[in-house]
Structures are given as structure tokens and as C-alpha cells.
Amino acid sequence: MRRTAAAAPGAAPSAAAAGADLPRPAPAAAPAPPEAPALEQRERLRTEFPFELPRGYVDESGTVHRDGVMRLSTARDELVPLRDVRVQENPAYLSVVLLGRVITRLGELPMVHDGIVENMFASDLAFLQDFYRQINAEGHTRAGVRCPHCSEPFEVELGGSRLGES
């Protein structure tokens, strides 16, 4: 059933009612929306980064786990370990606890935590510390500078000596 507005008494029939049986012209093309940047053009914020350990973590059964994923760190990730007694007693333990929070996957392990990180080879721990610095400093920890004497451009490393430091 089609509804139409009732006309006031004595008023001429509306154009819609009068031309109901006539073919209608094709609607005009809708104006194009203002050019919005395409999703492909805008870079999405990457929050997870794959890595491969140089040696790999060896679990109790002897399986080596090398491929993993690390997520970007939050302020909470860097603050919570500071309340950990192990970190308070030994500040070098900060990187172990912090990495245990931000590594989201390692091989086929069901869960990654600081106990896994503390049992990694030293070379893998050093690799993960460097990787953490790189992804949390917008991809690198270098800055372009110019020599004050000769004006020649070069890069300097800004990474601190421990995780959580710049």
C-alpha cells in the first residue's frame, strides 16, 4: 500500500500525485564526498612486531622457540615492574620483567612471562633489549644531527644503557 500526503481542500494536486504514472527521470549523481585520505595512504599504527631470536629459547622438553612477536610498550608496562621486589633489589632485572610483559608470542609456547625471559641465552636477551628500544622509539633510536664545526650531517645513537631509559 502506497501512502501519499492528503491535499488541502481546493488545492491543486501535488506534483508527486499528478505524475505518479509518468516515468521519472534518473536521479542526478550524488556529489562526490570530499576527498578523504584513503586507508592505504594513511599509515596505520603498528603495535606488534615480529622477531626471530638469534639462538632461541629452549623449553623443558628441548624444543627451540625462535619466532616471536613483541608489542609496543605502554607507560604502565614500564611503571609496574618498578614495584617488583626483584627489580627493587636488582635494577638490572627491570629488562627481564619488562620483556616478559611485552612479548606476546614466542614459538609454540602458550604464554610468555618473565620466567621464560630470565632463562633465555644472554645473546637473545641482548637482542630483545635492542629490539625493544627500536620499536618503542618509532622504529629506531638514532637522530640526524649536524657537526657544529663542519656542518656535515651524521647520525647519533640515542638508546640508553637499560630498557626504559633514553
Side-chain angles (χ1 to χ4, degrees):
M1 183 170 169
R2 187 171 164 178
R3 294 184 137 182
T4 58
S14 71
D21 296 333
L22 298 175
R24 296 184 184 162
E35 179 117 4
L39 195 53
E40 301 84 44
Q41 292 176 348
R42 281 189 288 160
E43 188 175 329
R44 292 188 137 209
L45 177 63
R46 279 183 66 190
T47 59
E48 292 191 326
F49 300 84
F51 63 83
E52 183 175 336
L53 295 174
R55 295 194 189 271
Y57 169 74
V58 182
D59 65 17
E60 302 98 31
S61 67
T63 304
V64 178
H65 304 273
R66 293 183 74 196
D67 296 327
V69 175
M70 184 183 295
R71 66 173 173 78
L72 288 177
S73 179
T74 65
R76 182 178 185 88
D77 290 323
E78 293 202 358
L79 293 172
V80 167
L82 297 176
R83 294 189 301 232
D84 191 304
V85 174
R86 298 168 296 179
V87 174
Q88 292 173 352
E89 291 175 359
N90 181 2
Y93 206 77
L94 172 64
S95 65
V96 171
V97 177
L98 185 53
L99 289 170
R101 293 179 61 90
V102 298
I103 297 172
T104 59
R105 185 181 64 75
L106 183 59
E108 300 300 318
L109 294 173
M111 182 179 169
V112 181
H113 51 80
D114 53 17
I116 302 253
V117 176
E118 76 180 349
N119 286 306
M120 289 182 173
F121 295 112
S123 59
D124 288 336
L125 179 62
F127 168 84
L128 289 170
Q129 290 170 329
D130 288 341
F131 190 66
Y132 176 93
R133 280 189 209 98
Q134 288 176 3
I135 69 171
N136 285 288
E138 294 187 33
H140 60 81
T141 56
R142 295 176 306 278
V145 296
R146 288 193 178 276
C147 175
H149 304 290
C150 67
S151 298
E152 193 66 30
F154 65 98
E155 290 185 338
V156 294
E157 183 68 34
L158 299 176
S161 60
R162 291 195 312 240
L163 292 179
E165 292 182 351
S166 294

